Amino acid sequence: MLVIAAGLGLLFVPVTLVAMSGVADAESGVAASLRNTGQQVGGSIGLAVLGTVAWTVVASSIHAQTARAAAAAARAGQPARPGQAALTAIYRHALAAGFSRAFLVMAGVMLLALVITIAAIRVKRADLGEARS
């Protein structure tokens, strides 16, 4: 989380500079609002996708582990329903697995975004610091 926060903090200003580098002064307000809107919509969609990934893995993991625990208990001749301690352990493991998968998906998306950025954006340093009158 700290690495993500530091990376995003270092990213926002350069992204704004690159996005605004080729925009005329008269259109800078529209360009800034489009960049901000894109950032907000992208964040919302990204959060929805990552939440869906995480909770799908959590639900799948809980279902699979509960079925395994019930089968193991049945083989041992015990009641088929796992106890409270086992259910707590299953739930905690499922949460860890779900959020771990969401972070892996997020890392893949960020890597893809890096490759696209390196390939598509060609802005020179002089374009970023240019003063217009």
Side-chain angles (χ1 to χ4, degrees), residues 26-122:
E27 298 172 350
S28 63
V30 173
S33 66
L34 285 173
R35 186 204 59 83
N36 190 29
T37 301
Q39 181 180 348
Q40 296 297 321
V41 170
S44 299
I45 292 171
L47 181 61
V49 168
L50 293 175
T52 300
V53 167
W55 292 108
T56 300
V57 172
V58 167
S60 174
S61 179
I62 287 173
H63 181 9
Q65 289 183 60
T66 305
R68 273 194 297 254
R75 280 193 304 269
Q78 298 175 349
R81 181 167 167 80
Q84 185 64 32
L87 289 175
T88 301
I90 287 171
Y91 184 68
R92 287 181 179 166
H93 180 271
L95 282 176
F99 284 96
S100 174
R101 180 73 52 88
F103 277 116
L104 284 174
V105 170
M106 182 177 62
V109 169
M110 290 179 135
L111 185 61
L112 179 65
L114 175 67
V115 169
I116 291 170
T117 301
I118 290 171
I121 296 179
R122 301 286 182 214

Side-chain angles (χ1 to χ4, degrees), residues 17-32:
L17 289 173
V18 168
M20 302 297 290
S21 66
V23 177
D25 289 340
E27 298 172 350
S28 63
V30 173

